[in-house]
Amino acid sequence: MKIIYSDAHKGHAGALEMRGEAFVPMAECPERMEVILLALADAGLRDVHAPKAHGLAEAARIHAPDFLTFLETAYPLWEKRHGPSRAVFARTFGMRGMAQKPQMDNIDAMLSAFTFDIFSPFVRGTWDAIRSALDVTLTAAEMVQQGTREAFALCRPPGHHASGDLAGGYCYLNNAAIAAQMFRDQGAARVAILDIDYHHGNGTQRIFYDRDDVLFISLHGRPEEEYPFLLGFGDETGAGRGEGFNLNLPMPPGTRIDTYLHALQAAAARVRAYAPDVLVLSLGVDTFDGDPVGGFCLQTPDYLRLGQVIAGLGLPTLFVMEGGYAIAPLGQNVTNVLTGYLQG
Amino acid sequence: MKIIYSDAHKGHAGALEMRGEAFVPMAECPERMEVILLALADAGLRDVHAPKAHGLAEAARIHAPDFLTFLETAYPLWEKRHGPSRAVFARTFGMRGMAQKPQMDNIDAMLSAFTFDIFSPFVRGTWDAIRSALDVTLTAAEMVQQGTREAFALCRPPGHHASGDLAGGYCYLNNAAIAAQMFRDQGAARVAILDIDYHHGNGTQRIFYDRDDVLFISLHGRPEEEYPFLLGFGDETGAGRGEGFNLNLPMPPGTRIDTYLHALQAAAARVRAYAPDVLVLSLGVDTFDGDPVGGFCLQTPDYLRLGQVIAGLGLPTLFVMEGGYAIAPLGQNVTNVLTGYLQG
């Protein structure tokens, strides 16, 4: 298993997020990558490669130009206006009836227009980390494009909540979506994205909602109880040409492996029927029992079975890291998906 | 000067808001009403009346039914799901591309769909305070409707950031807008709303943006630097039939009385040209030098001059309390507007 990784994410650290009535260090932290690398190495998965540098051309196929400018300039603009901060995020949001195009030198307006929640803070190293995740993902995708059977983009920040012009939920660029578009642009007729992160992949859904050339399937905590609350329902099936090419499989709190596998097998059946050229796997393991921002009850050995089902699809597969915040078991959970896949 | 007031707002207290990287008690607090009442009494303004109870019929002329249900049920639904909290507000927001109609038993989704920022928290007493502000405003409006030359609705929470289906910025129901609509429904041909709160009255603007029967004028800190950032520009002049009936007069940080009076006189000229039957004055004094959430430099004696300009319009006038958070001078600042008006 080719693993692509770079240390360049490490400066995206030290921001605060809100938990209940207090500020706490952001759960999406650099240590996540370290424990995953260690567990992978313990399992013999040591074929780690540095990413190749990419420009923003592939990202610009998915994301709006102003949005890219926002991501790059957000922290410097904030610091210039308000001084250093560990809590650079919007307090007010450009909802319906408000202007959606901010002045591009007004960081407060930009945050209000280009983020949908308070969970994607900016620090000085955020843009470098975003770029690094993009490089990691594209390098891994190119390997698969060039014939490598499977590759793992071990990156952060994650991406699946980000849409073309909105960041949120720890996500800035939608790495998986950018990779899927790259496969399409390089000649794949059909791409499937299977999102097994605990949270609904609302950003990816929005990006491909009216398209039939990218199938999106998300397994997640149901929006009745779970973030992002307004999206992720089973009746969101796509629009226009995309009708029938968006499949949400929401599950209730406390979901265990049997129920989860049932949904995953339904997802696998849909992928098979679609017959894509390549699979992009949005790999979150915040489905783990005890994840600080999850609500399912999967156990560490269960992740082997997830990997086996994915392997059963028999497709060239790009794994892209998304969520998973229970640090102690995180490495083994991720490793188990990959070893299950390799054994599958 | 008839003053309408009720203690029923006092339970809307104890919530937290974010200031920089910390939670602090909400600046929009019950003590605001107490210091205003005291200063009014010191100035001989003691004609204080209790409000008459109203239903929600007048509010429903401005606000959507689901939104009213949301305001009433928000805290109980939150407490039932998450337990007691001093920080009941949305963390994630239903921006473009997301569903705008929440399930009406899912408080997290409702907060995401019906609020546009983190500055309108709910506590157990919030709904009673909202109802009380509505009663206070409508009772004062009815007095003016029935021939009383001027009346002061001394109410909280304020209203001018709230639109038909969005709460934010300490605001829930738009008291001034509801009063303006009541005047229209009772026979006024034209109503002018003049908003002198430091912040742009984005909610009121949105409500009447495409109407020519209610003129809206707002003097405020310019959106280049100031909340709500995405609205309040001078080129927002109305739409459709409302074109030309929305006037924003944004001013830069540090604005002093001379500049302010220049804008206020321009506003007064526009009101005169419109020749309304009645004036609704959205009365905020967070233009005061040193207001914790303001950026202008008006001094306490300056407020006498504001009142004089308003009096010069010679219109039946309903004063509706909006913002003003520098507690020590708050009472005198508000009183000066009213005494300036009465002397004017």
Side-chain angles (χ1 to χ4, degrees):
Chain A
M1 172 81 73
K2 301 278 189 197
I3 299 162
I4 315 303
Y5 173 76
S6 159
D7 274 341
H9 67 87
K10 289 190 175 178
H12 180 51
L16 300 171
E17 68 176 304
M18 216 184 295
R19 192 84 49 85
E21 301 172 17
F23 279 108
V24 299
M26 186 167 64
E28 201 291 284
C29 60
E31 292 72 24
R32 298 176 61 238
M33 300 296 102
E34 293 170 20
V35 298
I36 294 170
L37 276 172
L38 284 172
L40 290 170
D42 282 350
L45 297 168
R46 298 174 183 173
D47 191 10
V48 179
H49 300 254
K52 291 180 190 159
H54 289 72
L56 292 172
E58 291 87 352
R61 294 278 293 144
I62 294 295
H63 295 281
D66 277 358
F67 180 71
L68 293 171
T69 301
F70 159 67
L71 295 180
E72 180 168 6
T73 60
Y75 188 81
L77 283 174
W78 179 285
E79 194 174 80
K80 186 175 170 192
R81 174 177 278 203
H82 299 296
S85 171
R86 301 175 66 195
V88 177
F89 49 80
R91 273 72 170 158
T92 188
F93 294 83
M95 297 273 287
R96 57 189 177 272
M98 293 173 164
Q100 304 293 304
K101 292 208 174 290
Q103 296 179 307
M104 290 303 290
D105 59 352
N106 180 344
I107 182 55
D108 295 283
M110 292 160 79
L111 284 165
S112 293
F114 290 132
T115 70
F116 68 86
D117 66 24
I118 63 172
F119 298 119
S120 288
F122 291 83
V123 296
R124 193 167 291 133
T126 299
W127 176 242
D128 283 348
I130 292 169
R131 290 294 302 268
S132 135
L134 178 65
D135 287 344
V136 165
T137 303
L138 287 171
T139 302
E142 284 162 357
M143 286 180 175
V144 173
Q145 173 64 27
Q146 289 156 16
T148 301
R149 190 65 182 171
E150 62 267 326
F152 178 28
L154 177 53
C155 58
R156 66 176 284 272
H160 72 144
H161 294 304
S163 60
D165 57 4
L166 284 168
Y170 303 147
C171 299
Y172 306 82
L173 292 181
N174 193 316
N175 305 308
I178 293 166
Q181 183 64 47
M182 192 219 76
F183 285 126
R184 282 284 294 123
D185 291 342
Q186 296 287 322
R190 288 178 305 284
V191 180
I193 303 176
L194 175 57
D195 186 332
I196 64 169
D197 186 279
Y198 172 71
H199 302 91
H200 178 239
N202 60 295
T204 317
Q205 169 171 308
R206 183 174 173 225
I207 290 166
F208 297 113
Y209 203 62
D210 58 0
R211 289 171 57 170
D212 61 2
D213 58 332
V214 178
L215 171 69
F216 179 64
I217 305 177
S218 181
L219 284 70
H220 52 266
R222 62 185 191 184
E224 282 85 347
E225 293 92 6
E226 195 49 80
Y227 179 98
F229 307 113
L230 291 169
L231 285 176
F233 293 94
D235 62 0
E236 295 158 14
T237 53
R241 290 175 62 96
E243 177 62 48
F245 298 93
N246 193 88
L247 175 60
N248 284 328
L249 297 165
M251 285 166 275
T255 289
R256 297 175 180 280
I257 186 62
D258 288 351
T259 300
Y260 194 90
L261 272 183
H262 191 77
L264 187 61
Q265 279 148 357
R270 181 72 190 88
V271 171
R272 276 194 198 91
Y274 186 66
D277 298 297
V278 59
L279 175 69
V280 177
L281 199 292
S282 269
L283 175 53
V285 293
D286 36 7
T287 45
F288 178 74
D289 190 358
D291 191 282
V293 296
F296 286 174
C297 296
L298 268 56
Q299 307 299 318
T300 294
D302 295 338
Y303 290 98
L304 290 163
R305 303 179 67 183
L306 272 54
Q308 289 161 2
V309 173
I310 296 160
L313 292 168
L315 290 166
T317 300
L318 171 68
F319 293 86
V320 179
M321 194 67 214
E322 303 282 2
Y325 309 100
I327 296 294
L330 174 61
Q332 196 58 52
N333 292 341
V334 170
T335 300
N336 278 2
V337 174
L338 300 184
T339 53
Y341 172 90
L342 292 170
Q343 295 159 5
Chain B
M1 173 81 74
K2 302 279 189 197
I3 299 161
I4 316 301
Y5 173 75
S6 158
D7 274 342
H9 67 86
K10 290 191 173 177
H12 180 51
L16 300 171
E17 67 176 306
M18 216 185 294
R19 192 83 50 85
E21 301 174 16
F23 280 108
V24 298
M26 186 166 66
E28 201 291 282
C29 60
E31 293 70 26
R32 298 175 61 238
M33 300 296 103
E34 293 169 20
V35 299
I36 294 170
L37 276 173
L38 284 171
L40 291 171
D42 282 350
L45 296 168
R46 298 175 184 173
D47 191 11
V48 179
H49 299 254
K52 291 180 189 159
H54 289 72
L56 292 172
E58 290 89 351
R61 294 279 293 143
I62 295 295
H63 295 282
D66 277 358
F67 180 71
L68 293 172
T69 301
F70 159 67
L71 295 180
E72 180 168 6
T73 59
Y75 189 80
L77 283 173
W78 178 285
E79 194 174 81
K80 186 175 170 191
R81 174 178 279 202
H82 298 296
S85 171
R86 299 175 67 193
V88 177
F89 49 80
R91 273 72 171 157
T92 188
F93 294 83
M95 297 274 288
R96 57 189 178 273
M98 292 172 164
Q100 303 293 303
K101 292 208 174 291
Q103 297 180 307
M104 290 302 289
D105 59 353
N106 180 344
I107 181 56
D108 294 282
M110 292 161 78
L111 285 165
S112 293
F114 290 131
T115 69
F116 68 86
D117 66 23
I118 63 172
F119 298 119
S120 288
F122 290 84
V123 295
R124 194 167 290 131
T126 298
W127 176 242
D128 284 348
I130 293 168
R131 290 296 301 270
S132 135
L134 178 65
D135 288 344
V136 163
T137 302
L138 286 171
T139 301
E142 283 162 357
M143 285 179 175
V144 173
Q145 173 64 27
Q146 289 155 17
T148 301
R149 190 65 183 171
E150 61 269 325
F152 178 29
L154 177 52
C155 58
R156 67 176 284 271
H160 72 144
H161 293 306
S163 61
D165 56 4
L166 284 170
Y170 303 148
C171 300
Y172 305 83
L173 292 181
N174 193 316
N175 306 306
I178 293 167
Q181 183 64 47
M182 192 219 75
F183 286 125
R184 282 284 294 120
D185 292 341
Q186 297 287 321
R190 289 178 305 283
V191 180
I193 303 176
L194 176 55
D195 186 333
I196 63 169
D197 187 279
Y198 171 72
H199 302 92
H200 177 239
N202 60 296
T204 317
Q205 169 171 307
R206 183 174 173 225
I207 289 167
F208 297 113
Y209 203 63
D210 58 359
R211 290 171 56 169
D212 61 2
D213 58 333
V214 179
L215 171 69
F216 178 64
I217 305 177
S218 180
L219 284 70
H220 51 266
R222 62 185 190 184
E224 282 84 348
E225 294 92 5
E226 194 48 81
Y227 180 97
F229 308 112
L230 291 169
L231 284 177
F233 293 94
D235 63 359
E236 296 159 12
T237 54
R241 290 174 62 95
E243 178 62 49
F245 298 94
N246 193 87
L247 176 58
N248 284 328
L249 297 166
M251 285 166 275
T255 289
R256 297 174 181 281
I257 185 63
D258 288 350
T259 301
Y260 194 89
L261 272 183
H262 190 78
L264 187 60
Q265 279 148 357
R270 182 71 189 90
V271 171
R272 276 193 198 91
Y274 186 66
D277 299 298
V278 60
L279 176 68
V280 177
L281 199 293
S282 269
L283 174 53
V285 293
D286 37 6
T287 46
F288 177 74
D289 189 358
D291 190 282
V293 296
F296 286 174
C297 296
L298 269 56
Q299 307 299 318
T300 294
D302 295 337
Y303 290 98
L304 289 163
R305 302 179 68 183
L306 272 54
Q308 289 159 3
V309 174
I310 296 161
L313 292 168
L315 290 166
T317 300
L318 170 67
F319 294 86
V320 180
M321 193 66 213
E322 303 282 2
Y325 309 100
I327 295 294
L330 175 61
Q332 195 58 52
N333 292 342
V334 170
T335 299
N336 278 1
V337 174
L338 300 184
T339 54
Y341 172 89
L342 291 171
Q343 295 158 5

